[in-house]
C-alpha cells in the first residue's frame, strides 16, 4: 500500500491553493539555513578557485554597469551636441569593455564548474562512505532504490544548482547593489520612481516561492519513492509475473507517478509565473521612467543620456531580481535534495568498537553464549540464551519463523549488539573484539545468493582478494563448481550480473561456497544453503559443505531436519528461548518436540505454530 503524503486527497488540479497550504504546513524544511551552511562547508574547501570566481564576478558586474553608463555619456556628448570628436575612442573603449566582460564571464563559469564538480565528488564520496558505516538494521528498514535516489538524483540536483545558481546569485546581488548606487548618484528622483515596482515584485515573488518551496521538497520525496518502487519491482519481476500481479503493480506505480507528476506540475507551473510577472513589471518600469524622465528633462533636472542610462539600468535592476527569484526556486529544490542527503549522513552509524577492543589475527573458533538477551525496539526476541560451540563443532538451529535463529547469527557476526549477558570468542567478550577482525575470520553461505556483476573468477576471489588464479580454481574444485564452470563458453571469465543470469540457482550456490572456501574462515554461517535446490545439485552442495565445514566452527540454520542430522549439536528454539538441545540421537531419545517433528507425528501442531521443517 502506498503512503499518502497528506491526510486528505492531494488534488492540485481541483483545489490547488488549499492543497499547497496543506503541503506547506507539512513539508516545511526543518533546517534550510543549516543545510545551506553545510553545502557551503564543502564549497569552502576550494577557497583559492572560489576567490578567483568572486573576483571575476565583481569584474563582470562592474563592466556590465560601465557599458550602459558610457552609452548614456555618448548620447549627451555626441548625439545631443552633434559632435563626433572622441566618439571613435569611446566606441573602441566600449568594444574592450564588452570583450573583457565576456572573458570574465567565461572564466568564472569555467572555474565554478571545477569547484562544483569537486564539491559533488566529495559529497557523493562522503555519502557512499556513510552507507558502509550504517548498521544492517538501517538497510533492513528502507527501500534500496530510495537510498540509491539519494546518491544519484538528489546529489545531481545539488550539482546542477552549484553550476547554475551560485554564480548567478552572487552576480545578481553585486549588479543590484551597483545599479542602485549609480542610479542614486545620477538621479535620486528617477531612482525613487524605479523603486516603485520593488514592493510589488517582492510580494509577487513571496507569494510564488511560498508555494513552490514545499512542492519542490515533495517532488524530491516522491521521486525517491518512485525510484525505490521501480527498483523493488524490477528486482522482483519474476515473483510479479509468477503471481500475475502485473496490473496491480502498474496501478500502484501510476499512483506514485501521479503524485510525482502533480508535485512537479504545480511547482513548475507556479514558478513559471515569475518571468511573466517580471516582464510585466519591466514594461511598467520603462513606462514610469519614460514619463518621469521626460518631465525632469523638460525642466532641466536630467539629461537625455541619463534617461537612456536609467532605461538600461532599470532592465539591469529587474534582471537580477528576476534571476534571484528564479534561482531561489532552483536553490529550494537543491536544498530539498541536500536535506535528504544530509539526513542519511546524520543517521546513527554502526556503533564504534570499544576503546579496549583488540584486533584478532588468529582464532580457534570457540563460541559461548552466556545468558544473552536481545530485542528490537522494545520487543524482546532472545531470552536467556546459553550454549557453547567448541572449535570445529557444528551447531544447528531449528524452530518456527521468528523464533530467533537468524538473530543469533546476527549477534555472532555483530551486525547487532546484544542487550544483556555475554558472548565470548575464545574466552574474549565479542564487544572487546573489533568488528572488522571478527568478520575477517567468518564466512557466510546464505539462502539468497548474491553475485557481483563481474566474472566468475572475480566473484570467487571476493572471498580473499589476494588469492592467486590457482587458488581460485582449487576452491572451485573443492566446491564441486569447477566442472560446470569449465563447460561455460568463457569458463572462469564468464561475466555474471547480480542475478547470476545464465546459471542455475544451485550453480550460483556452488560459486558462493567456493568463495567461502577461498576465504579460509574459522567460523562458518550456513543459512538454508541447500533450500530450493534439485536433488542432484543438493548432493553436490552437501558434499562441498562437508569440505567447507571440516575443522571449522559452523552454525547452521535449517528448516529441513534431514540436512542437520550430522550436526554435533542441535538447538530447538521457540519464542526466543532454547527448549531442547543435544545431538540428533540424544533429541530422538528425549522424545520431546524435536522427536515429534522428526517423526512427523505433530504435523497439525506444526502447521498451527507455523514451524518449517
Amino acid at each position: 500500500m502506498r503512503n499518502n503524503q497528506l491526510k486528505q486527497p492531494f488534488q492540485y488540479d481541483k483545489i490547488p491553493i488549499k492543497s499547497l497550504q496543506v503541503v506547506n504546513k507539512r513539508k516545511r524544511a526543518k533546517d534550510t539555513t543549516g543545510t545551506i551552511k553545510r553545502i557551503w562547508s564543502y564549497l569552502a574547501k576550494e577557497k583559492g578557485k572560489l576567490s578567483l570566481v568572486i573576483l571575476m564576478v565583481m569584474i563582470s558586474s562592474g563592466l556590465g554597469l560601465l557599458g550602459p553608463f558610457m552609452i548614456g555619456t555618448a548620447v549627451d556628448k555626441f548625439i545631443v551636441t552633434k559632435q563626433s570628436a572622441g566618439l571613435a575612442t569611446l566606441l573602441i573603449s566600449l568594444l574592450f569593455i564588452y570583450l573583457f566582460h565576456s572573458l570574465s564571464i567565461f572564466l568564472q563559469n569555467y572555474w565554478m564548474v571545477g569547484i562544483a564538480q569537486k564539491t559533488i565528488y566529495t559529497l557523493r564520496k562522503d555519502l557512499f562512505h556513510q552507507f558502509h558505516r550504517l548498521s544492517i538494521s538501517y538497510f533492513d528498514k528502507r527501500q534500496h532504490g530510495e537510498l540509491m535516489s539519494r546518491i544519484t538524483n538528489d546529489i545531481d540536483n545539488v550539482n546542477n544548482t552549484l553550476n547554475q545558481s551560485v554564480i548567478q546569485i552572487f552576480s545578481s546581488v553585486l549588479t543590484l547593489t551597483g545599479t542602485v548606487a549609480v542610479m542614486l548618484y545620477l538621479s535620486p528622483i528617477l531612482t525613487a520612481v524605479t523603486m516603485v515596482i520593488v514592493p510589488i515584485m517582492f510580494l509577487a515573488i513571496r507569494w510564488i516561492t511560498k508555494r513552490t518551496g514545499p512542492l519542490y521538497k515533495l517532488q524530491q520525496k516522491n521521486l525517491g519513492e518512485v525510484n525505490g518502487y521501480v527498483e523493488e519491482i524490477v528486482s522482483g519481476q519474476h515473483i510479479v509475473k509468477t503471481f500475475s500481479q502485473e496490473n496491480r503493480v502498474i496501478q500502484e506505480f501510476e499512483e506514485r507517478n501521479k503524485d510525482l507528476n502533480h508535485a512537479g506540475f504545480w511547482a513548475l507551473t507556479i514558478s513559471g509565473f515569475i518571468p511573466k510577472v517580471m516582464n510585466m513589471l519591466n514594461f511598467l518600469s520603462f513606462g514610469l521612467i519614460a514619463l518621469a524622465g521626460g518631465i525632469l528633462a523638460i525642466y532641466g533636472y536630467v539629461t537625455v543620456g541619463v534617461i537612456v542610462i536609467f532605461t538600461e539600468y532599470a532592465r539591469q535592476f529587474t534582471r537580477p531580481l528576476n534571476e534571484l527569484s528564479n534561482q531561489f526556486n532552483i536553490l529550494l529544490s537543491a536544498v530539498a535534495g541536500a536535506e535528504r542527503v544530509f539526513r542519511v549522513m546524520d543517521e546513527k552509524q554502526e556503533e564504534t568498537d570499544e576503546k579496549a577492543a583488540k584486533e584478532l589475527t588468529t582464532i580457534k573458533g570457540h563460541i559461548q553464549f552466556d545468558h544473552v538477551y536481545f530485542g528490537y525496539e522494545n520487543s524482546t526476541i532472545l531470552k536467556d540464551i546459553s550454549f557453547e560451540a567448541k572449535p570445529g563443532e557444528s551447531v544447528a538451529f531449528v524452530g518456527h519463523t521468528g523464533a530467533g535463529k537468524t538473530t543469533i547469527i546476527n549477534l555472532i557476526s555483530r551486525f547487532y549488539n546484544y542487550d544483556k549477558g555475554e558472548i565470548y570468542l575464545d574466552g574474549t567478550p565479542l564487544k572487546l573484539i573489533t568488528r572488522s577482525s571478527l568478520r575477517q575470520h567468518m564466512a557466510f553461505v546464505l539462502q539468497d545468493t548474491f553475485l557481483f556483476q563481474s566474472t566468475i573468477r572475480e566473484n570467487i576471489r571476493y572471498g580473499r582478494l589476494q588469492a592467486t588464479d590457482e587458488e581460485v580454481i582449487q576452491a572451485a574444485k573443492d566446491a564441486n563448481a569447477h566442472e560446470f564452470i569449465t563447460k561455460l563458453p568463457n569458463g572462469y571469465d564468464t561475466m555474471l550480473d547480480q542475478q547470476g543470469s545464465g546459471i542455475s540457482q544451485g550453480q550460483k550456490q556452488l560459486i558462493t561456497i567456493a568463495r567461502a572456501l577461498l576465504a579460509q574462515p574459522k567460523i562458518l554461517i550456513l543459512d538454508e544453503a541447500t533450500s530450493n535446490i534439485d536433488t542432484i545439485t543438493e548432493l553436490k552442495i552437501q558434499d562441498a559443505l562437508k569440505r567447507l565445514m571440516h575443522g571449522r566452527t559452523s552454525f547452521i540454520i535449517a528448516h529441513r531436519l534431514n540436512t542437520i542430522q550430522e550436526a554435533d549439536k542441535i538447538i530447538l528454539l521457540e519464542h526466543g528461548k532454547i527448549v531442547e538441545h543435544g545431538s540428533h540421537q540424544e533429541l530422538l531419545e528425549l522424545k520431546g518436540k524435536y522427536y515429534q517433528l522428526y517423526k512427523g507425528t505433530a504435523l497439525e501442531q506444526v502447521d498451527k505454530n507455523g514451524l518449517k521443517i
Side-chain angles (χ1 to χ4, degrees), residues 419-433:
D419 300 327
K420 292 170 59 177
E422 195 62 78
I423 303 176
Y424 298 93
L425 171 58
D426 295 344
T428 303
L430 283 190
K431 292 181 179 179
L432 296 182
I433 301 172

Side-chain angles (χ1 to χ4, degrees), residues 58 72 131 155 158 188 203 226 284 292 298 313 347 393 414 428 464 545 560 596 602 606-607:
M58 294 174 66
F131 281 159
I155 289 186
V158 176
L203 292 174
V226 166
L284 176 61
I298 291 173
Y313 276 7
E347 285 288 340
E393 281 190 341
R414 288 201 70 189
T428 303
R464 183 159 51 89
L545 288 176
R560 293 184 290 182
Q596 293 177 331
V606 168
D607 291 339

Side-chain angles (χ1 to χ4, degrees), residues 157 430 433 455 501 506 538:
N157 200 10
L430 283 190
I433 301 172
T455 63
S501 301
E538 182 177 358

Side-chain angles (χ1 to χ4, degrees), residues 395-459:
V395 178
F397 301 100
V398 296
H400 62 80
T401 300
K405 305 184 294 297
T406 302
T407 302
I408 289 178
I409 299 304
N410 286 333
L411 294 184
I412 294 173
S413 54
R414 288 201 70 189
F415 289 141
Y416 296 92
N417 271 333
Y418 42 94
D419 300 327
K420 292 170 59 177
E422 195 62 78
I423 303 176
Y424 298 93
L425 171 58
D426 295 344
T428 303
L430 283 190
K431 292 181 179 179
L432 296 182
I433 301 172
T434 61
R435 287 178 174 83
S436 60
S437 65
L438 170 66
R439 294 167 187 167
Q440 284 174 2
H441 296 286
M442 303 177 71
F444 296 78
V445 179
L446 307 177
Q447 176 180 358
D448 297 323
T449 58
F450 183 88
L451 299 175
F452 294 94
Q453 188 168 341
S454 184
T455 63
I456 291 178
R457 188 191 311 277
E458 294 308 314
N459 267 284

Side-chain angles (χ1 to χ4, degrees), residues 293-350:
I295 295 172
L296 291 174
I298 291 173
Y299 289 97
Y301 290 104
V302 297
T303 64
V304 176
V306 170
I307 298 175
V308 172
I309 294 173
F310 260 84
T311 302
E312 182 62 24
Y313 276 7
R315 185 181 65 82
Q316 290 206 28
F317 178 74
T318 55
R319 180 181 57 79
L321 289 177
N322 191 9
E323 289 178 351
L324 283 172
S325 58
N326 284 329
Q327 296 307 319
F328 185 71
N329 277 305
I330 297 174
L331 184 63
L332 285 176
S333 179
V335 169
E339 280 181 336
R340 285 159 48 82
V341 171
F342 291 134
R343 201 174 297 134
V344 176
M345 295 175 68
D346 292 337
E347 285 288 340
K348 183 180 179 181
Q349 299 179 1
E350 186 176 36

Side-chain angles (χ1 to χ4, degrees), residues 139-196:
F139 296 96
D140 290 342
K141 298 174 183 177
R142 288 162 178 84
Q143 282 185 318
H144 294 172
E146 199 274 337
L147 291 176
M148 289 170 60
S149 180
R150 308 288 177 98
I151 205 168
T152 53
N153 296 329
D154 291 332
I155 289 186
D156 282 345
N157 200 10
V158 176
N159 181 30
N160 293 334
T161 301
L162 292 180
N163 281 321
Q164 299 173 13
S165 301
V166 173
I167 292 178
Q168 287 193 11
I169 289 174
F170 186 56
S171 176
S172 297
V173 171
L174 283 179
T175 301
L176 197 60
T177 303
T179 301
V180 172
V182 178
M183 288 168 69
L184 285 172
Y185 169 76
L186 293 174
S187 174
I189 298 176
L190 276 182
T191 303
V193 171
T194 307
M195 294 296 175
V196 169

Side-chain angles (χ1 to χ4, degrees), residues 7 17 96 103 179 227 264 266 423 426 493:
K7 294 181 179 179
I17 300 302
F96 278 103
L103 178 62
T179 301
N227 288 335
W266 284 106
I423 303 176
D426 295 344
D493 294 319

